[in-house]
């Protein structure tokens, strides 16, 4: 796969999981370059409508250009996906038939050195998905106290050498501010040395396709060992973009805006995201809080969703072969039940 190419991950699986069909309202909360949205619009022709948003203004313009043939059936917004419930309410289009969220950073962002997501190329230490936001990765790395950096690396990168890396960052920034991706990567590598892979479920995985949204920041799409800076870059990126903040609430609020039988599909690429999705969906599917030995429900909290698949859907061998960056993708689906009430 060439740099900058766009391969939406699990494309056929997403269209099938959402139950795409003509008509209705469909939502893509993470448009990227518009690959999933295009497939949804084709599957819902001739009169299906799509509401989409992306926090990256550049990605939104690419999606708008790609979706030009469907201009009469789309409404696109420059907005964080956490604003989806408000956008849906304001649209007046009614409950949705299907909602897609493809979480994380895109390959188009990873492959642009000027965005500062990857340590593979030298670039400014930025990492903002929405470039109108004030705080960059350089701001966090240079301003946070050493203990907070260590906590951030441990929490969002599950980095075992978090304290050692934080100590090295604090020492190096006293000499000169850390402003480039390659300098941060070199500091991390110097602190912990070049190490091999650390388990198949490493949260800082190799990169992914565009809108195959990537968990790792600049990691190789091959099967080689993790670069020592991979976990650090993921952790800083998650902190800069507050990627996990409010995700559980978004899933709950979005589910409430599905019509009965409508589905929400979420693609995640590292265990931190997937854990939140799994936990939230399971909680919505088991809302009754009555004691297990009570013969009838007395709390009145009907299940809000059912889970069509007990385990996440994963890319098949062909997709992984053609698009190695899809390897860590996980797709979870929940279907709104008619009886579930807010």
């Amino acid at each position: 796969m060439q740099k900058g190419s766009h391969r939406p991950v699990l494309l056929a699986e997403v269209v099938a999981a959402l139950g795409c069909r003509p008509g209705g309202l469909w939502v893509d909360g993470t448009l990227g370059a518009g690959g999933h949205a295009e497939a949804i619009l084709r599957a819902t022709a001739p009169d299906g409508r799509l509401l989409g948003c992306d926090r990256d203004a550049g990605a939104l313009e690419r999606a708008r250009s790609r979706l030009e043939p469907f201009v009469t059936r789309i409404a696109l917004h420059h907005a964080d996906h956490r604003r989806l419930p408000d956008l849906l309410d304001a649209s007046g289009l009614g409950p949705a038939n299907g909602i897609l969220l493809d979480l994380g950073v895109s390959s188009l962002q990873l492959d642009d050195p000027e965005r500062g997501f990857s340590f593979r190329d030298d670039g400014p230490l930025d990492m903002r998905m929405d470039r109108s936001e004030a705080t960059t990765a350089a701001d966090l790395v240079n301003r946070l106290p050493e203990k907070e950096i260590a906590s951030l690396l441990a929490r969002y990168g599950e980095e075992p050498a978090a304290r050692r890396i934080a100590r090295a960052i604090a020492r190096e920034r006293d000499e000169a501010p850390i402003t480039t991706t390659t300098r941060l990567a070199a500091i991390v590598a110097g602190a912990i040395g070049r190490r091999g892979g650390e388990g198949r479920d490493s949260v800082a995985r190799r990169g992914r396709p565009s809108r195959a949204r990537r968990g790792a920041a600049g990691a190789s799409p091959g099967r080689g060992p993790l670069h020592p800076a991979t976990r650090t870059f993921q952790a800083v990126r998650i902190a800069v973009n507050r990627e996990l903040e409010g995700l559980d609430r978004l899933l709950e609020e979005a589910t409430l805006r599905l019509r009965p039988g409508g589905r929400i599909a979420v693609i995640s690429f590292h265990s931190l995201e997937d854990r939140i999705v799994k936990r939230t969906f399971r909680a919505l599917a088991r809302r009754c809080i009555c004691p297990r030995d009570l013969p009838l429900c007395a709390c009145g909290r009907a299940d809000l969703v059912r889970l069509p698949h007990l385990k996440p859907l994963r890319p098949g061998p062909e997709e992984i072969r053609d698009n190695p960056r899809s390897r860590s993708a996980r797709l979870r689906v929940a279907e709104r039940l008619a009886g579930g009430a807010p």
Side-chain angles (χ1 to χ4, degrees):
M1 184 175 64
Q2 296 179 341
K3 271 192 175 186
S5 62
H6 171 78
R7 292 194 183 183
V9 73
L10 291 165
L11 185 60
E13 290 84 352
V14 164
V15 172
L18 290 177
C20 292
R21 57 194 179 278
L25 173 63
W26 310 84
V27 178
D28 187 341
T30 47
L31 278 166
H36 285 116
E38 181 182 22
I40 291 170
L41 284 161
R42 293 190 184 282
T44 61
D47 54 346
R49 296 180 61 86
L50 182 131
L51 184 149
C53 67
D54 201 288
R55 67 198 299 188
D56 185 330
L60 182 65
E61 289 310 306
R62 285 190 290 270
R64 194 182 302 279
S65 176
R66 181 172 189 159
L67 302 178
E68 180 65 26
F70 312 98
V71 66
T72 61
R73 298 200 281 131
I74 61 175
L76 307 185
H77 302 269
H78 179 211
D80 190 299
H81 57 278
R82 283 165 290 200
R83 287 190 54 211
L84 262 183
D86 293 335
L87 292 175
L88 275 167
D89 292 346
S91 74
L93 297 176
N97 295 75
I99 297 174
L100 170 66
L101 297 171
D102 183 7
L103 305 174
V105 63
S106 77
S107 282
L108 294 176
Q109 292 165 334
L110 278 176
D111 292 336
D112 181 356
E114 290 302 311
R115 303 301 299 272
F117 286 99
S118 172
F119 45 72
R120 298 292 170 186
D121 301 293
D122 190 44
L125 195 57
D126 192 322
M127 298 194 194
R128 292 172 298 170
M129 293 179 184
D130 181 350
R131 299 179 88 168
S132 68
E133 294 284 344
T135 303
T136 68
D139 291 331
L140 294 186
V141 167
N142 287 292
R143 297 176 185 174
L144 286 180
E146 179 182 328
K147 286 185 178 180
E148 289 189 32
I149 292 178
S151 176
L152 182 154
L153 299 182
R155 184 167 68 252
Y156 294 146
E158 297 184 344
E159 171 56 73
R163 291 182 181 178
R164 204 183 323 161
I165 294 170
R167 192 159 50 245
I169 288 173
R171 182 175 61 248
E172 291 291 331
R173 72 189 184 187
D174 285 343
E175 299 293 326
I178 303 167
T179 59
T180 65
T181 55
T182 50
R183 183 168 179 229
L184 178 59
I187 291 169
V188 176
I192 62 179
R194 186 165 292 277
R195 61 193 177 195
E198 295 174 289
R200 294 184 62 189
D201 194 40
S202 168
V203 298
R205 271 300 201 320
R206 296 157 275 268
R208 343 192 299 226
S210 192
R211 273 274 189 243
R213 307 206 94 157
R214 295 49 0 207
S220 168
R223 290 184 178 273
L226 288 175
H227 186 284
T230 299
R231 296 178 187 271
T232 294
F233 269 63
Q234 174 183 286
V236 174
R237 190 205 79 222
I238 289 175
V240 167
N241 297 289
R242 309 185 318 279
E243 293 176 33
L244 305 182
E245 182 181 309
L247 178 56
D248 51 356
R249 180 171 179 81
L250 167 63
L251 296 174
E252 294 173 5
E253 294 291 332
T255 300
L256 290 173
R257 284 154 178 83
L258 286 169
R259 64 178 63 252
R263 290 185 171 187
I264 179 170
V266 184
I267 303 173
S268 59
F269 284 82
H270 59 73
S271 59
L272 297 176
E273 292 171 336
D274 184 62
R275 201 174 300 147
I276 294 173
V277 178
K278 177 173 69 173
R279 183 181 66 235
T280 303
F281 280 177
R282 287 185 175 178
L284 293 175
R286 297 194 302 268
R287 300 180 78 226
C288 175
I289 57 175
C290 295
R292 290 182 178 273
D293 58 354
L294 198 68
L296 296 174
C297 174
C299 71
R301 292 169 57 92
D303 296 344
L304 189 64
V305 304
R306 76 175 188 93
L307 307 181
H309 311 284
L310 295 180
K311 294 184 178 180
L313 302 178
R314 306 294 294 269
E318 285 190 20
E319 180 169 5
I320 293 174
R321 183 194 65 220
D322 295 340
N323 183 12
R325 286 177 163 182
S326 70
R327 183 180 296 109
S328 55
R330 308 171 192 179
L331 171 64
R332 293 188 184 272
V333 184
E335 180 179 311
R336 178 72 190 271
L337 296 175

